[in-house]
């Protein structure tokens, strides 16, 4: 399988998933995340944010232990 390169804004990714920075496992990333954008706090899952499909691909490619 040819690797797929996905590019994204690092700062945005760190804002959305910064709560799992110390333990960025597939399970942690796939869960619910609370983050603040401007003055509003949100809680959303990776699926709701549109990232779950990438985490699933990364897992299939062996990027998670």
């Amino acid at each position: 399988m040819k690797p797929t390169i996905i590019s994204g804004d690092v700062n945005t990714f760190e804002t959305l998933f910064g709560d799992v920075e110390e333990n960025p496992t597939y399970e942690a990333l796939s869960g619910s995340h609370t983050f603040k954008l401007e003055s509003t706090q949100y809680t959303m899952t990776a699926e709701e944010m549109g990232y779950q499909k990438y985490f699933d691909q990364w897992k299939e490619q062996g990027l998670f232990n």
Side-chain angles (χ1 to χ4, degrees):
M1 174 191 329
K2 184 177 178 181
T4 302
I5 297 174
I6 303 294
S7 178
D9 181 283
V10 172
N11 291 331
T12 299
F13 190 86
E14 288 176 345
T15 297
L16 299 177
F17 299 99
D19 58 335
V20 296
E21 183 176 9
E22 298 298 319
N23 187 28
T25 63
Y26 172 79
E27 290 77 15
L29 287 165
S30 296
S32 182
H33 304 276
T34 299
F35 53 91
K36 192 171 189 176
L37 295 177
E38 297 182 5
S39 62
T40 305
Q41 184 169 309
Y42 300 89
T43 299
M44 300 173 75
T45 65
E47 182 72 37
E48 291 171 318
M49 291 186 272
Y51 281 90
Q52 188 62 51
K53 61 186 173 187
Y54 302 112
F55 299 154
D56 292 344
Q57 289 174 359
W58 296 348
K59 184 176 182 182
E60 286 177 18
Q61 293 171 5
L63 298 176
F64 291 105
N65 293 333

